[in-house]
């Protein structure tokens, strides 16, 4: 019995030992297989240590399994090299303009993107790397494009300079009693802002091929057309003043020079005429000479003296044409060449004479100087002559002046010196009388002026010999 128990214990130990042996062998086999798998996985992943993982693209260009250097070379050829050989064509009516993209310093950020693509997945553990390589997922990277926008702007500026043409107004002249009209020329204007916007929008995400953009070019109509000037067919007003008997040679010269500056002026409906703007500054270089002018309450010598007779003559012609003055100032002293209230003084930089073409037709102003007379003829459409306009003045108040006498011990006894001449003052209203078929139908108040009296001043000498 005892022997039997010993045999059973022996057999149990032997069986346990066999089981341990078997398990040990099995564990060794498992460890060997795992090590082999790990070794294989490690080796498989290691292959991509210096390569870009599978499934990686840049702008649809596959760079899987490429080294950084090879990937850069591929993308350089596909993008940077290609863009340098591309061009932009701007199409305009009648002409195309071309810009090679090599002129705009184009660049894709290839180095940056390739470095990002290379580092993709490199921070994962061995198992995840193996899985990502074995079963790749599509991974797309985008390139950023940069270029010199100033170069594009300069290109567009050049197109604008070549295309833009100002329209030329129709011209009208009067020779030998007849009008001659030359036709207007239509101008061109590039829609520069839209063209620049269209170009930049096409270049925003890069250039993969030649680009073509159509530019918008607009016609620019002339302000004054031949058809509008053709409506000028008759004299609607004229006015003259005489200057030869009251003018020095210098004053007469100034009248001639300023009248020539106005001769041939065309005003479209709504246009405002500026005497100073048309005649310009009175300078020696422009042909003006020193002549008598009214300065304050005295007549003194000044450059351009006499041109107030020109502005006053024109003022009266305008009044009789039924156009409206928008800026007019009378002299401080009455003028000898026109009635009271019918003068218009000017002074460069201070006082201007302006009127507006309030008619429905353009007007042509002819200014002449002949026989000691300065004349302005205003031409427009003959239909305007159905009414006649007459200008009258009403001096409704006369204000007498006084003369003050003072003693001057520096002057010889019995002598006199007139320091300030006395001038009588006047209040005067000017009317425009409108006649239709020689019947007065309306009277308009044009102005209500006050020429203030000027007190005279005389010095009487008291110095004894």
């Amino acid at each position: 019995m005892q022997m039997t128990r010993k045999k059973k214990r022996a057999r149990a130990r032997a069986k346990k030992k066999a089981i341990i042996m078997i398990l040990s062998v099995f564990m060794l086999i498992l460890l060997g297989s795992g090590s082999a798998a790990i070794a294989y996985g490690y080796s498989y992943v290691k292959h991509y240590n210096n390569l870009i993982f599978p499934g990686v693209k840049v702008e649809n260009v596959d760079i899987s399994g490429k080294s950084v250097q090879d990937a850069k070379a591929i993308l350089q050829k596909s993008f940077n090299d290609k863009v340098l050989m591309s061009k932009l064509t701007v199409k305009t009516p009648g002409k195309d303009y071309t810009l090679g993209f090599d002129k705009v310093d184009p660049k894709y950020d290839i180095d940056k993107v390739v470095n990002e693509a290379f580092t993709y997945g490199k921070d994962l553990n061995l198992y995840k790397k193996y899985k990502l390589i074995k079963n790749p997922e599509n991974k797309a990277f985008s390139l950023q494009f940069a270029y010199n926008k100033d170069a594009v702007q300069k290109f567009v500026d050049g197109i604008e300079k070549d295309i833009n043409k100002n329209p030329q107004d129709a011209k009208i002249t009067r020779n030998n009693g007849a009008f001659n009209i030359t036709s207007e020329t239509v101008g061109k204007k590039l829609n520069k802002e839209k063209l620049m916007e269209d170009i930049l929008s096409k270049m925003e995400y890069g250039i993969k091929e030649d680009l073509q953009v159509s530019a918008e070019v607009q016609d620019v109509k002339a302000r004054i057309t031949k058809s509008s000037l053709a409506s000028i067919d008759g004299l609607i007003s004229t006015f003259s003043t005489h200057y030869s008997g009251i003018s020095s040679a210098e004053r007469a010269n100034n009248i001639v020079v300023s009248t020539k500056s106005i001769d041939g002026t065309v005003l479209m409906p709504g246009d405002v005429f500026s005497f100073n703007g048309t005649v310009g500054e009175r300078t020696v270089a422009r042909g003006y000479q020193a002549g008598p002018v009214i300065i304050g309450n005295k007549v003194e010598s000044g450059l351009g003296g006499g041109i107030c007779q020109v502005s006053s003559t024109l003022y009266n012609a305008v009044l009789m044409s039924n156009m409206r003055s928008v800026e007019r100032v009378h002299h401080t002293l009455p003028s000898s060449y026109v009635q009271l209230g019918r003068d218009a003084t000017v002074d460069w930089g201070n006082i201007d004479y302006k009127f507006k073409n309030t008619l429905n037709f353009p007007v042509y102003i002819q200014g002449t100087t002949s026989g000691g007379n300065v004349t302005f003829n205003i031409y427009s459409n003959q239909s305007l002559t159905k009414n006649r306009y007459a200008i009258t003045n009403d001096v409704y108040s006369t204000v007498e002046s006084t003369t003050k006498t003072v003693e001057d011990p520096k002057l010889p006894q019995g002598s006199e010196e007139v320091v300030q001449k006395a001038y009588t003052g006047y209040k005067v209203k000017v009317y425009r009388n409108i006649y239709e078929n020689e019947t007065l139908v309306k009277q308009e108040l044009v102005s209500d002026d006050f020429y203030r009296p000027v007190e005279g001043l005389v010095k009487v000498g008291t110095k004894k010999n």
Side-chain angles (χ1 to χ4, degrees), residues 282-297:
R282 278 65 92 179
T283 64
V284 174
R286 296 174 66 90
Y288 289 97
Q289 300 173 6
V293 294
I294 297 174
I295 301 177
N297 296 324

Side-chain angles (χ1 to χ4, degrees), residues 318-389:
V318 169
L319 287 177
M320 296 172 67
S321 72
N322 200 33
M323 288 188 286
R324 309 291 167 171
S325 297
V326 295
E327 185 176 331
R328 172 259 171 187
V329 178
H330 65 84
H331 289 83
T332 53
L333 303 176
S335 302
S336 61
Y337 42 80
V338 289
Q339 293 178 333
L340 283 168
R342 297 181 63 173
D343 60 323
T345 185
V346 289
D347 181 24
W348 175 259
N350 296 304
I351 303 172
D352 200 1
Y353 167 56
K354 296 179 180 179
F355 67 90
K356 184 177 183 178
N357 178 6
T358 51
L359 308 177
N360 293 325
F361 301 94
V363 298
Y364 174 86
I365 302 174
Q366 181 186 48
T368 64
T369 50
S370 177
N373 296 307
V374 53
T375 302
F376 282 103
N377 297 316
I378 298 181
Y379 294 88
S380 191
N381 191 262
Q382 285 188 346
S383 65
L384 299 173
T385 60
K386 65 180 181 180
N387 292 336
R388 181 173 67 85
Y389 304 92

